[in-house]
Amino acid sequence: METIGTWWMWSGFLVIVLIMLAIDLFVVGGSKQHRVTLKEAATWSGIWVSVSFLFAGALWWYLDSTAGRELANQKTLEYITGYLIEKSLAIDNVFVWLMLFSFFAIPLELQKRVLILGVLGAIVMRTVMIFAGVWLITQFHWLLYLFGAFLLATGIKMWWFADATPDLANNPVISWIRRHMKVTDDLQGERFFVMKEDAGKLVRYATPLLLVLILVEFTDLIFAVDSIPAIFAITTDPFIVLTSNIFAILGLRAMYFLLADMADRFSLLKYGLAVVLMFIGVKMLLIDLFKIPVAVSLGVVAAIIATSIVLSLKKCPRTVQ
């Protein structure tokens, strides 16, 4: 695997991630069952994005001084493009979380623990899948065509079913859990399991919060399958792929609380994300015939996302109270 990452760069990145996770776990949101306000969510979202771009600046500075301006520009642009793609696709993940919490009537103050575990699970799954994907691509170049066709089909499907509402009541994952586990009807605070008396014996019951956690982790896996191949259209350098991915999802919890009351205002964003996936799919299918420059890809993705956001806001104006 060809990569710009040295042992100390990987180590430094790991330290940054651990520090950011510690801050997210013990600082953001404050005390247990604290309800994150819109101001807090906006502030922390800004901090996570700023850290991500500071990392890009540090990467450029190091490569510029050690490997030359051309490589520094190329790798930093790849990182920023990958970050924007993964951050954009992560928004759809957030909307699914909103739908799950709404369906199970989970109040905001009880969502913190599920979101933390969801982000941790996403980090682990993406790390494994990224290294596996990079290795497979280095061994079997034709997989890029398979990924491209998959992303193109996924984008078309996302566009076609953009306004469809999933039938969570008959979700096969939930149905399987309910057949194999006893589940309480009511929430029990932030607990995933409780002991209840049943036929004179204490029996372990799962709570609806556990169902939500399982579905969150399951959707994390599905979105990882969709989004990770997308960055392979930009670069196969594992250091760039992993750092852009992880930085994109580290601030997901803050972004979730930021969008919690505004999801209805971005009704056209899913169409924009569908176009992004179709564009990246076509880019991968043409990779050996015509290589679209990374700068062009960055501009196209940014323009698509910005346009879908602006059109959404125009379609659904909202007066600030």
Side-chain angles (χ1 to χ4, degrees):
M1 297 182 188
E2 293 186 6
T3 179
I4 59 169
T6 61
W7 70 268
W8 68 265
M9 291 173 69
W10 286 107
S11 300
F13 170 65
L14 177 61
V15 170
I16 293 173
V17 170
L18 291 176
I19 291 173
M20 292 177 72
L21 282 175
I23 293 173
D24 202 26
L25 286 169
F26 302 111
V27 179
V28 181
S31 60
K32 188 176 182 180
Q33 295 191 12
H34 168 74
R35 184 185 179 98
V36 179
T37 65
L38 182 62
K39 182 179 179 180
E40 288 175 317
T43 299
W44 282 108
S45 292
I47 290 173
W48 297 140
V49 172
S50 298
V51 170
S52 301
F53 279 93
L54 284 173
F55 181 84
L59 179 66
W60 181 90
W61 175 82
Y62 169 72
L63 292 176
D64 183 56
S65 59
T66 58
R69 181 67 53 89
E70 183 178 354
L71 184 65
N73 290 341
Q74 175 191 340
K75 292 299 180 180
T76 305
L77 198 59
E78 288 176 359
Y79 167 84
I80 294 174
T81 305
Y83 174 79
L84 178 61
I85 290 172
E86 299 301 328
K87 197 72 171 177
S88 301
L89 295 176
I91 295 175
D92 200 31
N93 204 351
V94 167
F95 288 163
V96 172
W97 290 355
L98 284 167
M99 179 184 63
L100 291 174
F101 285 128
S102 175
F103 178 79
F104 286 96
I106 309 295
L108 277 174
E109 59 270 18
L110 295 181
Q111 296 171 10
K112 176 182 175 182
R113 189 179 180 191
V114 173
L115 292 172
I116 289 173
L117 293 174
V119 170
L120 291 175
I123 290 175
V124 173
M125 283 187 286
R126 284 172 184 253
T127 300
V128 173
M129 293 175 67
I130 284 169
F131 281 108
V134 170
W135 181 83
L136 286 171
I137 288 174
T138 58
Q139 300 298 315
F140 310 102
H141 178 74
W142 55 267
L143 281 174
L144 287 174
Y145 295 109
L146 186 62
F147 286 158
F150 173 74
L151 291 175
L152 179 60
T154 301
I156 294 172
K157 180 180 177 182
M158 183 182 289
W159 178 284
W160 190 263
F161 295 102
D163 295 325
T165 302
D167 185 8
L168 289 177
N170 296 311
N171 183 278
V173 176
I174 297 177
S175 299
W176 186 90
I177 295 172
R178 289 191 180 277
R179 286 197 305 268
H180 292 80
M181 298 179 65
K182 294 181 179 294
V183 182
T184 63
D185 295 325
D186 303 318
L187 292 166
Q188 303 291 325
E190 289 189 323
R191 299 167 69 183
F192 294 125
F193 294 97
V194 293
M195 300 300 294
K196 293 183 66 176
E197 187 172 335
D198 187 359
K201 297 186 299 183
L202 284 178
V203 178
R204 183 187 297 272
Y205 275 72
T207 70
L209 204 63
L210 179 67
L211 299 184
V212 176
L213 175 62
I214 293 173
L215 288 175
V216 164
E217 298 291 4
F218 184 74
T219 56
D220 283 345
L221 176 61
I222 298 301
F223 279 104
V225 171
D226 286 345
S227 64
I228 288 177
I231 197 173
F232 290 145
I234 307 301
T235 180
T236 55
D237 185 323
F239 186 77
I240 300 297
V241 175
L242 185 64
T243 53
S244 59
N245 253 274
I246 300 305
F247 274 117
I249 64 176
L250 273 175
L252 268 186
R253 198 163 70 90
M255 186 167 68
Y256 168 83
F257 288 112
L258 180 64
L259 296 176
D261 295 323
M262 300 188 296
D264 59 321
R265 300 190 66 193
F266 299 100
S267 59
L268 300 179
L269 185 57
K270 183 163 286 191
Y271 291 96
L273 298 178
V275 175
V276 167
L277 286 179
M278 286 187 277
F279 167 73
I280 296 171
V282 171
K283 174 181 169 67
M284 295 183 82
L285 291 173
L286 297 176
I287 194 166
D288 289 325
L289 296 176
F290 175 73
K291 290 190 176 181
I292 300 175
V294 177
V296 174
S297 298
L298 176 60
V300 170
V301 172
I304 292 171
I305 298 301
T307 301
S308 62
I309 290 175
V310 171
L311 292 178
S312 294
L313 295 176
K314 286 185 176 181
K315 178 183 177 184
C316 185
R318 180 176 174 182
T319 304
V320 178
Q321 299 295 327

